[in-house]
Amino acid sequence: MKKIELLAPAGDLEKLKIAIDYGADAVYFGGEMFSLRAGAGNLTAEEIREGVEYAHERGKKAYLTINIYAHNEDIKPLEEYLNRIKGLNLDAFLVSDPGILLLLKEAIPNAEIHLSTQANMTNFKAAEFWHQQGIKRIVLARELTFKEIRELRSNIPDEMEIEAFVQGAMCISYSGRCLLSNFMIERDANRGQCAHPCRWKYSLMEEQRPNEYFPIEEDERGTYILNSRDLCMIDHIPELIDAGIASAKIEGRMKSIFYVATVVSVYRKAIDAYYADPENYSFKEEWLTELKKVSHRQFTTGFYFDRPTNKDQDYQTSAYTRDYSFIGLVKDYDPKTGLALVEQRNKMSIGEEIEIFGPNTKFFTQILEVMLDESGKPVESAPHPQQLLQIQVKQPVAAGFMLRKRK
């Protein structure tokens, strides 16, 4: 049985390495241009080279997104960009624009090409068309049910793979093809600059029809009528695999390393548990509890089981739930002294209960009792961003482990 791929977001080089260390089979990221996450750190050509090497040394894959919808002014810079990166040994490119597909095939004839979700891939005849254009993998639109996915899988060539989102933000427009941001503040979502106006607060008014009301929940302050909950499929791993999905994709190139590490780690455990014993596999509630320790909205299964209803929207707020703070990243560890060198990310103080976790491990809890500054002097609290500290830990750790605390 070919194992489903766990595909993780990498908004910058640090996140790329964290995603791989915590169990991703592959990572996807944008370059400095032509990616739909202009606000992410993204990677320079040299960082792409380093990231690809890091992935390949560990038997993992690296995919580059070039999934904007290009305007005329983008064509020449894109040609130049493709010529600069064509020797970087990338495993695949994600595109949505047929013009970019053509340019990519001209610049890198042997490139493996994946169709981005931005292309609104919703039926098997469209898949047949894209297969004829040389597409190896299709990233499905988020608007498909399991029934539709299974039917699509049975009507496309065996060698054509299916990738689908399993975790992260949902868009209220078909596969992200949205004009709202461009219309309201001239930031084009289809060129990587979405301002997420779907998360803003709105009030509905129709002055000529005072007695006709749109059936939404609202109060005197307005309502978030476009605000979807976040997708979460952690308790449906068997269904994802049974539907013929080859790659389970996590959304979140704008998210923190704490988010990437936590979500990748949880899905890694769940997927591995399924393949270890498919007949006796059972969902563990602790996986969902872990996912809720990162910044998130309430969860939904999106379109997978049926069309979303008002229960899949959050009409009260667009704010994230943040019950835990990411407080530190382990940079080194001395087993003789039990001291970990930690880079602070949020304030922590002596006497607080903290949790520490790392790749392929369960978290452990301890009270923060010993904390030293760079000169070895004891300190009571660490309020300064990214200051280096030595912290006594109760169990062995390693570089890349993370510290968190309940707010």
Side-chain angles (χ1 to χ4, degrees):
M1 185 187 299
K2 186 176 180 181
K3 204 168 187 179
I4 193 171
E5 176 185 84
L6 179 56
L7 177 56
D12 58 31
L13 185 58
E14 182 184 33
K15 294 172 190 175
L16 182 154
K17 293 179 178 180
I18 287 290
I20 290 172
D21 291 347
Y22 275 79
D25 297 307
V27 288
Y28 67 99
F29 48 86
E32 295 170 281
M33 301 181 290
F34 314 116
S35 164
L36 276 180
R37 290 295 180 269
N42 295 320
L43 281 71
T44 65
E46 187 51 44
E47 287 173 330
I48 292 174
R49 185 186 302 279
E50 182 178 344
V52 170
E53 289 177 356
Y54 191 87
H56 288 176
E57 286 168 359
R58 291 156 180 80
K60 313 299 182 180
K61 293 183 177 181
Y63 308 146
L64 179 66
T65 62
I66 311 178
N67 58 345
I68 66 163
Y69 279 89
H71 288 236
N72 291 334
E73 65 196 43
D74 298 315
I75 300 302
K76 184 174 175 51
L78 179 55
E79 288 178 314
E80 295 171 350
Y81 181 68
L82 290 173
N83 283 320
R84 287 211 318 271
I85 65 168
K86 64 183 180 182
L88 297 183
N89 202 23
L90 286 149
D91 294 287
F93 299 82
L94 283 92
V95 305
S96 51
D97 185 317
I100 294 180
L101 172 61
L102 181 61
L103 289 172
L104 180 56
K105 290 167 74 173
E106 291 171 351
I108 314 174
N110 61 342
E112 180 173 315
I113 305 175
H114 298 175
L115 186 71
S116 168
T117 189
Q118 294 298 118
N120 312 119
M121 181 52 248
T122 57
N123 66 80
F124 59 79
K125 290 304 289 184
E128 180 184 336
F129 167 81
W130 287 114
H131 182 256
Q132 292 173 4
Q133 311 312 310
I135 296 294
K136 169 72 183 300
R137 177 187 291 184
I138 48 176
V139 187
L140 297 180
R142 289 175 174 86
E143 293 78 15
L144 294 183
T145 64
F146 273 130
K147 180 181 178 182
E148 291 176 296
I149 295 170
R150 285 191 290 269
E151 183 178 8
L152 190 150
R153 174 66 272 175
S154 65
N155 284 279
I156 63 176
D158 291 342
E159 67 271 17
M160 195 175 207
E161 297 178 346
I162 292 176
E163 179 177 307
F165 282 94
V166 298
Q167 183 78 29
M170 293 284 284
C171 181
I172 51 87
S173 291
Y174 238 97
S175 300
R177 294 290 297 275
C178 186
L179 299 177
L180 194 57
S181 178
N182 205 352
F183 174 76
M184 298 183 78
I185 58 171
E186 298 183 356
R187 285 176 53 178
D188 191 347
N190 297 305
R191 301 178 85 187
Q193 300 171 345
C194 185
H196 305 289
C198 55
R199 307 295 180 185
W200 300 351
K201 185 183 291 184
Y202 294 90
S203 296
L204 189 64
M205 181 184 71
E206 208 297 293
E207 61 180 353
Q208 300 300 320
R209 301 178 184 181
N211 296 316
E212 294 185 25
Y213 299 97
F214 194 81
I216 59 174
E217 300 176 30
E218 59 181 338
D219 59 23
E220 68 279 1
R221 295 171 296 174
T223 184
Y224 297 87
I225 59 176
L226 306 176
N227 185 45
S228 172
R229 296 185 178 194
D230 281 357
L231 179 65
C232 178
M233 294 295 289
I234 189 62
D235 48 346
H236 298 289
I237 298 299
E239 292 97 323
L240 292 165
I241 294 169
D242 180 66
I245 293 168
S247 181
K249 188 171 192 173
I250 298 167
E251 183 273 339
R253 279 190 280 154
M254 303 284 286
K255 302 289 190 180
S256 68
I257 59 170
F258 175 50
Y259 179 93
V260 171
T262 303
V263 176
V264 168
S265 179
V266 170
Y267 274 88
R268 180 77 278 150
K269 290 183 176 74
I271 290 171
D272 288 351
Y274 174 82
Y275 283 99
D277 190 357
E279 296 298 322
N280 297 302
Y281 171 83
S282 62
F283 168 72
K284 291 183 171 58
E285 194 66 35
E286 66 190 57
W287 296 335
L288 184 59
T289 300
E290 277 291 288
L291 287 179
K292 290 181 178 179
K293 291 181 180 180
V294 297
S295 176
H296 67 281
R297 302 181 184 92
Q298 294 184 66
F299 291 138
T300 173
T301 54
F303 288 76
Y304 276 109
F305 292 96
D306 205 346
R307 294 186 181 277
T309 67
N310 60 337
K311 295 180 180 179
D312 298 283
Q313 299 289 109
D314 188 344
Y315 299 111
Q316 304 304 316
T317 178
S318 64
Y320 287 96
T321 298
R322 294 184 173 95
D323 293 332
Y324 280 74
S325 291
F326 171 38
I327 56 174
L329 176 67
V330 174
K331 308 297 285 186
D332 200 2
Y333 172 68
D334 185 348
K336 294 180 180 178
T337 63
L339 290 172
L341 180 65
V342 174
E343 183 181 79
Q344 185 262 32
R345 294 299 176 98
N346 278 290
K347 184 179 179 181
M348 50 184 154
S349 302
I350 292 295
E352 290 182 319
E353 184 177 77
I354 63 173
E355 294 179 2
I356 303 175
F357 70 99
N360 304 309
T361 66
K362 287 190 173 182
F363 74 88
F364 65 92
T365 302
Q366 70 168 66
I367 301 299
L368 188 53
E369 296 176 338
V370 176
M371 186 162 57
L372 312 174
D373 64 17
E374 289 186 80
S375 66
K377 179 181 177 182
V379 292
E380 289 295 314
S381 67
H384 306 300
Q386 295 189 295
Q387 67 183 112
L388 290 174
L389 304 151
Q390 293 185 78
I391 291 175
Q392 191 83 49
V393 292
K394 301 297 185 182
Q395 296 182 28
V397 296
F401 274 56
M402 296 188 185
L403 285 64
R404 66 191 177 205
K405 68 175 183 180
R406 183 185 289 276
K407 287 189 176 181

